Amino acid sequence: GLLLVGYVVGTKLADGVDFPEATSAMRAAIEEFPQATVQTNGEFRQEQEDQINQILFLVTLLLLIAIVFSFLGIAITLALAVFERTREIKKRFKNYEKYQPLIDRTLAMIFEKASTRTRVSFEAGMYQLGGSVVNLTSQGSQLGRAEPIADPARVISRVVDIVMIRTFAQKKIEGFAEHSRVPVINGLTNEYHPCQILADVFTFIEHRGAIQGKVVAWVGDGNNMANTWLQAAEILGFTVHVSTPGGYEVDPAVAGIS
């Protein structure tokens, strides 16, 4: 609730504000009011300057806080819109309603880590929504021949509409995305597993309602799933309690927590 309120307040405060211009105008207005007194008392003028600086500092701080809350509110709004969209698409699928917004769209799936569930779910989903799929592996393409990641990223993204990669190091998918002309989905890396967590959060919402303010327990290794649960909690406003065996703790630097 605080984040949503912050989003509304932040939007109202930050929308269209020219910070240098606003600050200058504020200083001029404050200085203009006690002009007669300031001119006759140098000591008072210094005190007045200090007060002006304090006011400007507080106003700037409030504006920065408003902007931060605004961005957090936007993140929550976008995430909730994704879950609502998912609910609608699933409802149509269960009711056998033909819904194919991805006609003439192609997904390239790149598997450096083999998977059954990831391939079947992405491939079936694309076909059900009217699209098509190209399946690539490191064994059957140039991806496994030490070619710089920028080259296949440029080539593949010229001929498809979206890419999903399931690989090892996070830096590899980030390097691919940096040189890609189309969106890149993280199907899994050693560090993160966002698609799985999105599916888990959606399942929670289906059965228990909104996840904001709730508590989730993670029992197991401090792996890519645990890292992504912690990230989701920060974005969506819920709490994760983590319990891991000794020697398998979450790496705070990877999970992005303090």
Side-chain angles (χ1 to χ4, degrees):
L2 177 61
L3 293 177
L4 292 176
V5 170
Y7 166 62
V8 175
V9 173
T11 301
K12 295 295 183 183
L13 288 175
D15 185 29
V17 174
D18 184 328
F19 290 96
E21 183 177 333
T23 303
S24 300
M26 204 173 304
R27 177 182 287 274
I30 295 172
E31 288 182 335
E32 199 173 82
F33 179 72
Q35 188 66 27
T37 307
V38 170
Q39 288 177 349
T40 59
N41 192 326
E43 184 177 338
F44 183 77
R45 180 178 178 82
Q46 182 59 49
E47 182 180 342
Q48 191 77 0
E49 282 289 334
D50 292 342
Q51 291 177 352
I52 291 171
N53 290 331
Q54 290 175 5
I55 293 171
L56 291 173
F57 172 77
L58 290 173
V59 170
T60 302
L61 181 61
L62 287 172
L63 287 171
L64 289 174
I65 292 173
I67 291 171
V68 170
F69 275 115
S70 177
F71 280 120
L72 289 173
I74 291 171
I76 291 177
T77 302
L78 290 175
L80 295 178
V82 168
F83 294 130
E84 178 58 27
R85 182 69 168 160
T86 303
R87 184 195 64 78
E88 179 61 30
I89 292 175
K90 181 177 179 179
K91 179 181 177 182
R92 293 185 179 192
F93 176 74
K94 293 296 184 181
N95 291 334
Y96 296 95
E97 296 179 19
K98 189 174 182 179
Y99 180 61
Q100 297 187 326
L102 299 183
I103 290 177
D104 294 331
R105 296 291 180 263
T106 303
L107 164 70
M109 300 191 302
I110 300 173
F111 289 96
E112 293 194 320
K113 275 188 176 182
S115 172
T116 300
R117 289 179 293 273
T118 301
R119 176 175 177 179
V120 170
S121 59
F122 271 91
E123 195 162 339
M126 278 299 290
Y127 286 137
Q128 289 160 7
L129 294 173
S132 57
V133 174
V134 176
N135 182 41
L136 300 171
T137 65
S138 55
Q139 292 78 25
S141 67
Q142 294 286 87
L143 294 170
R145 301 181 185 178
E147 185 178 10
I149 195 66
D151 294 339
R154 293 189 184 100
V155 172
I156 293 171
S157 64
R158 286 194 189 105
V159 294
V160 300
D161 301 286
I162 192 166
V163 177
M164 185 280 292
I165 301 179
R166 183 180 172 95
T167 187
F168 295 92
Q170 176 70 17
K171 64 180 181 180
K172 189 161 192 177
I173 193 171
E174 291 175 356
F176 191 103
E178 182 181 351
H179 297 92
S180 173
R181 300 171 62 178
V182 299
V184 177
I185 299 171
N186 183 347
L188 174 140
T189 64
N190 291 343
E191 293 86 354
Y192 308 110
H193 200 355
C195 291
Q196 181 64 59
I197 302 308
L198 283 170
D200 291 348
V201 171
F202 178 68
T203 301
F204 183 100
I205 293 172
E206 281 189 304
H207 293 275
R208 298 291 183 88
I211 198 169
Q212 287 85 352
K214 301 299 194 304
V215 178
V216 174
W218 173 265
V219 181
D221 295 350
N223 55 17
N224 53 2
M225 292 278 288
N227 293 335
T228 313
W229 266 114
L230 290 165
Q231 292 179 337
E234 184 175 349
I235 294 171
L236 296 174
F238 62 93
T239 300
V240 177
H241 291 167
V242 177
S243 177
T244 61
Y248 296 88
E249 296 85 359
V250 169
D251 183 343
V254 176
I257 59 176
S258 56

